[in-house]
């Protein structure tokens, strides 16, 4: 498989994992199945004896270790995703702040306070650039983390029932769509540029705050363990 | 023992293909994120390209994952980036396998 970054330790690790595979591909149910037949005690008739308790315990321990390994991987991936989202959050906040400011210009035009062909073209070009920038930020997240940008929620089945996560996701998305329109409203009523700048900064801060909350919830849901870390026999 | 953490009970079923440690971990990550890039999986597993590739091929042969290669800008001359997606069959098999592991741990 060709990939953009190759690991030079490939062959040595491949050899090591081959032996590991042979060791660990043995299914646990084989290990925990009855392993001896008692042909002496039953007059030569082969009957399965009870499974060796040590093998049962080993199987259970192996299974528990496998499940804990899955938890560790989720933790590592959650950290990777969190780093990418934090980087995206700062850039996105700037973009939405600028968008609120540009919307003020659109609002002025729609309110009939200002119109010129050059102004119209400039504003529309700025809007187009901001939308491209938002798209680029998402692509950069995907490039940096290796996680699909279309992953709307980690652990979908669990996330779908997590009220806090759903509220955080929806609030953030709604804020990103609605808040820049406050700039439009300000322009529509003929508000001045100082107010537009203040609104843009407030929009950026509000979206940043909501994004941080969303990231915290995203990371929490990403880390939900496959199996609780405590000993099930305790 | 059905897994009660989800909506519908999952019938525990031990899957020898998934049980190999690397493959189990790949499935665990894909179960959480659905679609991941090859190098994200490789780095998290801390294995070589060859090992990761070999296990992915095994999973793909069983229909548990799909591999898609996409040319990406800035990725170098002619290199393609591999994306790995979990299939519904793979997800079901993984969840049944995890339920089976939990059953073993619980001594069932």
């Amino acid at each position: 498989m060709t990939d953009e970054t190759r690991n030079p330790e490939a062959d040595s690790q491949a050899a090591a994992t081959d032996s590991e595979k042979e060791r660990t591909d043995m299914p646990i149910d084989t290990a925990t199945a009855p392993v001896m037949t008692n042909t002496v005690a039953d007059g030569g008739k082969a009957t399965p004896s009870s499974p060796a308790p040590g093998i049962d315990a080993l199987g259970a321990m192996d299974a528990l270790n496998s499940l804990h390994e899955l938890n560790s991987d989720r933790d590592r991936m959650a950290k990777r995703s969190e780093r990418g989202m934090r980087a995206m959050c700062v850039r996105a906040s700037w973009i939405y702040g600028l968008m609120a400011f540009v919307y003020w210009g659109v609002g002025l035009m729609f309110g009939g306070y200002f119109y010129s062909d050059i102004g119209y073209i400039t504003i529309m070009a700025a809007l187009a650039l901001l939308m491209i920038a938002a798209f680029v930020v998402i692509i950069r997240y995907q490039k940096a983390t290796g996680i699909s940008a279309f992953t709307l929620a980690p652990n979908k089945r669990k996330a779908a029932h997590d009220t806090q996560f759903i509220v955080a996701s929806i609030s953030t998305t709604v804020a990103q769509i609605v808040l820049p329109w406050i700039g439009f409203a300000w322009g529509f009523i003929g508000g001045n540029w100082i107010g537009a700048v203040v609104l843009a900064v407030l929009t950026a801060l509000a979206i940043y705050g909501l994004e941080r909350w969303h990231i915290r919830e995203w990371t929490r849901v990403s880390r939900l363990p496959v199996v609780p870390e405590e000993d099930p026999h305790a | 023992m059905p897994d009660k953490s989800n909506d519908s009970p999952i019938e525990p079923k031990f899957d020898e293909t998934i049980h190999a440690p690397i493959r189990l971990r790949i499935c665990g990550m894909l179960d959480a994120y659905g679609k991941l890039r090859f190098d994200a999986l490789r780095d998290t597993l801390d294995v070589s390209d060859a090992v990761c590739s070999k296990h992915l091929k095994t999973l793909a042969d069983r229909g548990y994952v799909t591999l898609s290669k996409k040319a990406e800008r800035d990725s170098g001359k002619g290199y393609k980036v591999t994306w790995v997606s979990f299939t519904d069959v793979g997800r079901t098999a993984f969840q049944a396998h995890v339920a089976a592991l939990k059953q073993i741990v619980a001594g069932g």
Side-chain angles (χ1 to χ4, degrees):
Chain A
M1 186 170 301
T2 311
D3 206 68
E4 79 274 35
T5 50
R6 288 198 64 83
N7 192 330
E9 296 169 357
D11 293 338
S12 59
Q13 283 197 25
T17 309
D18 277 347
S19 59
E20 183 196 20
K21 178 180 174 294
E22 277 167 21
R23 178 176 56 79
T24 52
D25 269 359
M26 182 182 72
I28 288 170
D29 54 356
T30 308
T32 54
V35 290
M36 294 180 292
T37 50
N38 189 344
T39 53
V40 179
D42 201 19
K45 206 188 282 179
T47 54
S49 66
S50 60
I55 292 176
D56 254 352
L58 277 175
M61 213 162 78
D62 187 16
L64 190 62
N65 283 340
S66 300
L67 292 170
H68 283 173
E69 195 74 55
L70 294 180
N71 290 349
S72 308
D73 285 339
R74 287 202 173 172
D75 206 42
R76 279 193 283 270
M77 283 302 287
K79 280 179 190 156
R80 190 182 177 103
S81 174
E82 188 182 14
R83 275 196 302 271
M85 287 189 94
R86 281 186 181 206
M88 180 169 72
C89 165
V90 176
R91 292 173 189 135
S93 304
W94 275 105
I95 289 169
Y96 285 110
L98 286 169
M99 212 173 257
F101 187 73
V102 175
Y103 274 30
W104 166 71
V106 180
L108 278 180
M109 282 197 295
F110 273 79
Y113 296 99
F114 142 80
Y115 183 79
S116 80
D117 285 344
I118 304 254
Y120 179 80
I121 291 166
T122 310
I123 284 170
M124 288 305 148
L127 269 181
L129 282 175
L130 285 173
M131 280 171 192
I132 292 168
F135 184 69
V136 168
V137 163
I138 293 169
I139 296 297
R140 280 177 68 107
Y141 162 78
Q142 189 170 284
K143 263 185 96 73
T145 59
I147 297 168
S148 170
F150 298 105
T151 303
L152 298 176
N155 295 319
K156 271 183 194 163
R157 286 167 73 97
K158 286 176 183 167
H161 294 93
D162 193 306
T163 316
Q164 259 184 295
F165 176 79
I166 292 169
V167 170
S169 297
I170 292 175
S171 313
T172 309
T173 309
V174 168
Q176 287 169 347
I177 295 166
V178 171
L179 285 182
W181 285 94
I182 295 173
F184 177 88
W186 181 247
F188 196 77
I189 60 167
N192 60 15
W193 69 270
I194 298 169
V197 170
V198 170
L199 277 175
V201 170
L202 289 177
T203 298
L205 286 175
I207 287 176
Y208 179 78
L210 284 167
E211 272 288 354
R212 290 300 295 262
W213 177 36
H214 179 227
I215 292 168
R216 275 199 302 277
E217 287 303 313
W218 173 283
T219 310
R220 182 181 61 78
V221 171
S222 303
R223 281 187 172 144
L224 287 176
V226 177
V227 64
E229 284 294 332
E230 68 267 7
D231 184 357
H233 297 294
Chain B
M1 182 184 68
D3 186 352
K4 293 187 176 75
S5 61
N6 295 318
D7 280 337
S8 51
I10 294 166
E11 194 64 36
K13 188 168 178 249
F14 198 92
D15 191 308
E16 289 187 34
T17 308
I18 290 178
H19 188 62
I22 301 284
R23 293 199 282 274
L24 182 67
R25 290 173 67 193
I26 289 172
C27 290
M29 285 185 274
L30 288 172
D31 184 50
Y33 293 95
K35 188 176 180 183
L36 291 168
R37 204 171 53 208
F38 178 84
D39 60 298
L41 279 171
R42 180 203 60 202
D43 293 347
T44 310
L45 295 167
D46 197 21
V47 294
S48 67
D49 283 0
V51 170
C52 192
S53 182
K54 191 177 104 182
H55 287 291
L56 283 174
K57 190 179 177 304
T58 307
L59 289 170
D61 289 345
R62 289 293 301 262
Y64 291 165
V65 300
T66 52
L67 307 175
S68 57
K69 291 191 176 203
K70 287 176 188 164
E72 211 166 87
R73 282 195 304 171
D74 309 328
S75 63
K77 289 176 190 171
Y79 283 117
K80 287 186 175 178
V81 176
T82 304
W83 284 88
V84 186
S85 311
F86 219 12
T87 62
D88 289 340
V89 179
R91 194 181 297 276
T92 309
F94 171 74
Q95 283 167 357
H97 183 75
V98 168
L101 289 181
K102 285 179 183 173
Q103 194 178 45
I104 292 166
V105 170

